[in-house]
Amino acid sequence: MAEYKILDSNSVKDYILKIMPDYCAERDDLKVEEVGDGNLNLVFKVNNSKDAAKKTLILKQALPYVRLVGKDWPMTRDRSRIESEAIKTQSKYCPDYVPEIFFTDNEMSLFLMEDLSDYNLYAYNLMQGEKNDYIAEIVGEFLAENFFHSSDLGMDAKEKKNEVKKFINPDLCKITEDLIFTEPYFDVERNNVSDALRPFLEEDFWQRDELKTEVAKLKYNFMNHAEALLHGDMHTRSIFVKDDSVKIFDQEFAFYGPMGFDFGLFFGNLLLNFVTQEYWNKDKAVEMQDHIIEVINDTWHKFEERFLELMAQAEDRMYSLESMRNVFIKHLLAEIAGYTGTSAIRRVHGLAGVPEFWDIEDEKTKADLKIKALNLGSELILKREKFESIDDLLDVVRKYKI
Ligand code: SR1
Ligand code: MG
């Protein structure tokens, strides 16, 4: 294995020829393009222009810093190991729902995986008014299988503790701790606050002391509840869709944390899409909002059905108790509501936003929709302990329909 160096389109060719000599006979036949548009890494698309039988590859390399900000924000390269390990672990239970990994080089902080560029990012589909009806079933199953099998409910206790160790991811968790659980609640430099939104934040949102207390509790739970292997960044642009296929990718934030957090990322980002439908799909905003509500409802029900089935078979007889199963689900639902709220709020004015807001040109329209998202997120956080069912949670969401 080579010593770490940052690759470019040219050196990727040398690297591929070295590790996969059979991939391409002539260096000039290799085509390499940097296609990364994320906040953290380099992503190269590699193909053999002379041999269509050779699959296009994606090479993802972690930089020693945050790409979005630059060298002033150093970042561990170990995230590359974590990402490939997490994908491999998740593929044990759901091989069809994560990208295939062909090769890993931890020294170079990179791995090679299948090319999914014929897929679409789920968030953009929804913004364009496109529905993917199978998504709820797949995400629900993915979460149920992975949460059960990576937790003490479905894994030997000693083995699970070793897994927790393997996925200790302090630097990436710190990003989440700061960007999701602290900064949006204060006037800090890294936030992205427009003049149109500032008065609401100063006079209202940043004054919400009860909300801050509840978010502090959610933050503490995030930092201290090593329950299951999480994706850690499972928003609607970490999910690719094509026809009836779904691929969940970008697992570099993976770690052992509370199950409700991944759900919260998915649902929170769906709600940003929900709130902005009146801008993106004026003619069918109501239809799309109903669809998003249905996706949340169906994802939860699919999860609940499969997870309870698995829990009933848990080897530890304490965990298969019916009373335990009921308490578990009730607690999880409240946690999900809380993390749905925090995940929506952080994308409104924190560092690293979402296309649902970026691309709205009129600042007043954008601020009004952002205020809606902040109020919806807050309400979910504050009311979370009262929810008895997903429908109770969705009743709050329905109040924000146009
Ligand atoms: C500095 S990283 C900002 C965000 O990008 C990633 O995709 C995560 O969502 C992180 O919070
Ligand atoms: Mg990401």
Side-chain angles (χ1 to χ4, degrees):
M1 300 285 156
E3 201 179 306
Y4 180 78
K5 72 169 190 205
I6 296 174
L7 293 176
D8 58 24
S9 301
N10 208 23
S11 51
V12 164
K13 290 187 183 179
D14 301 326
Y15 186 81
I16 295 289
L17 290 171
K18 194 168 96 200
I19 61 156
M20 300 175 79
D22 295 339
Y23 186 73
C24 199
E26 295 295 324
R27 190 179 194 281
D28 286 346
D29 297 341
L30 264 185
K31 295 287 169 248
V32 178
E33 195 190 345
E34 211 276 312
V35 293
D37 64 351
N39 294 327
L40 292 167
N41 306 296
L42 292 173
V43 182
F44 298 94
K45 191 169 168 177
V46 180
N47 80 296
N48 179 337
S49 60
K50 288 282 160 58
D51 185 354
K54 292 281 193 284
K55 281 187 188 166
T56 305
L57 304 170
I58 293 295
L59 186 154
K60 180 168 179 179
Q61 184 180 40
L63 289 164
Y65 51 83
V66 174
R67 182 180 182 162
L68 172 73
V69 174
K71 291 185 180 153
D72 289 346
W73 190 350
M75 189 48 57
T76 177
R77 290 187 280 114
D78 190 44
R79 64 186 191 270
S80 177
R81 175 192 65 82
I82 300 249
E83 179 168 356
S84 62
E85 297 265 17
I87 293 176
K88 285 176 202 161
T89 303
Q90 292 169 344
S91 73
K92 282 191 217 159
Y93 306 106
C94 299
D96 294 339
Y97 305 157
V98 291
E100 190 179 349
I101 297 214
F102 304 122
F103 178 80
T104 303
D105 180 346
N106 289 331
E107 294 296 317
M108 284 288 284
S109 306
L110 64 78
F111 55 88
L112 284 170
M113 63 178 169
E114 71 177 300
D115 175 31
L116 298 170
S117 43
D118 53 339
Y119 282 65
N120 292 326
L121 292 173
Y122 183 44
Y124 291 109
N125 265 16
L126 291 173
M127 283 165 73
Q128 284 156 15
E130 266 182 59
K131 300 175 189 166
N132 294 91
D133 291 328
Y134 42 81
I135 189 120
E137 195 156 319
I138 292 179
V139 173
E141 183 190 335
F142 175 83
L143 293 175
E145 293 289 340
N146 280 296
F147 287 172
F148 178 79
H149 290 291
S150 65
S151 70
D152 285 305
L153 303 173
M155 183 184 263
D156 168 73
K158 201 166 167 188
E159 201 187 324
K160 187 245 176 176
K161 288 175 181 71
N162 278 325
E163 288 296 290
V164 173
K165 221 191 301 176
K166 184 160 104 187
F167 287 105
I168 295 282
N169 196 356
D171 292 18
L172 282 276
C173 283
K174 174 84 171 106
I175 293 181
T176 301
E177 289 150 21
D178 292 342
L179 296 192
I180 297 192
F181 294 112
T182 302
E183 295 180 6
Y185 301 91
F186 299 92
D187 189 5
V188 303
E189 211 180 315
R190 277 205 299 220
N191 284 336
N192 177 14
V193 179
S194 68
D195 290 346
L197 186 63
R198 180 163 283 281
F200 175 79
L201 293 175
E202 285 183 351
E203 288 153 30
D204 185 332
F205 187 75
W206 285 329
Q207 308 295 332
R208 295 180 183 179
D209 292 336
E210 194 190 346
L211 178 68
K212 284 185 195 168
T213 310
E214 293 309 313
V215 173
K217 282 156 61 180
L218 288 162
K219 176 175 183 173
Y220 193 76
N221 186 58
F222 172 87
M223 295 174 77
N224 291 285
H225 196 40
E227 188 179 27
L229 178 64
L230 306 189
H231 178 289
D233 196 21
M234 217 181 89
H235 53 74
T236 44
R237 282 172 303 134
S238 293
I239 300 177
F240 273 132
V241 287
K242 186 183 77 166
D243 306 327
D244 60 354
S245 174
V246 172
K247 300 278 182 186
I248 298 163
F249 69 105
D250 216 12
Q251 279 79 343
E252 67 200 310
F253 282 76
F255 79 114
Y256 261 76
M259 296 180 187
F261 184 68
D262 268 358
F263 265 108
L265 292 166
F266 182 53
F267 290 171
N269 280 268
L270 280 173
L271 290 184
L272 297 175
N273 208 291
F274 168 93
V275 163
T276 53
Q277 279 296 328
E278 63 181 277
Y279 178 85
W280 291 110
N281 290 299
K282 288 186 184 59
D283 298 340
K284 55 174 189 170
V286 173
E287 182 189 329
M288 287 307 291
Q289 287 192 323
D290 286 339
H291 171 70
I292 290 169
I293 288 175
E294 204 177 297
V295 171
I296 294 175
N297 181 66
D298 294 354
T299 304
W300 168 256
H301 283 300
K302 175 68 195 181
F303 169 86
E304 189 185 28
E305 182 193 318
R306 181 65 186 137
F307 195 78
L308 287 176
E309 203 173 87
L310 289 165
M311 239 181 131
Q313 300 157 17
E315 274 185 33
D316 188 322
R317 65 170 78 168
M318 297 305 284
Y319 297 152
S320 62
L321 289 173
E322 193 183 351
S323 53
M324 169 61 173
R325 284 182 263 147
N326 293 338
V327 168
F328 198 95
I329 288 291
K330 164 100 173 60
H331 169 81
L332 180 56
L333 192 65
E335 199 180 77
I336 288 171
Y339 290 125
T340 299
T342 56
S343 301
I345 288 170
R346 71 74 60 109
R347 298 285 184 192
V348 170
H349 58 281
L351 182 76
V354 282
E356 282 89 338
F357 288 129
W358 291 330
D359 300 344
I360 300 177
E361 273 173 23
D362 180 63
E363 288 298 337
K364 166 85 172 80
T365 307
K366 180 152 54 183
D368 287 346
L369 294 174
K370 284 188 166 192
I371 290 169
K372 237 187 193 186
L374 291 173
N375 286 334
L376 171 54
S378 302
E379 219 179 314
L380 291 174
I381 293 167
L382 293 172
K383 293 192 171 151
R384 70 190 187 284
E385 299 294 350
K386 296 198 174 74
F387 297 147
E388 296 286 337
S389 68
I390 194 73
D391 211 42
D392 292 344
L393 184 159
L394 290 172
D395 275 344
V396 173
V397 175
R398 285 185 194 103
K399 287 196 331 194
Y400 289 81
K401 274 180 68 172
I402 53 169

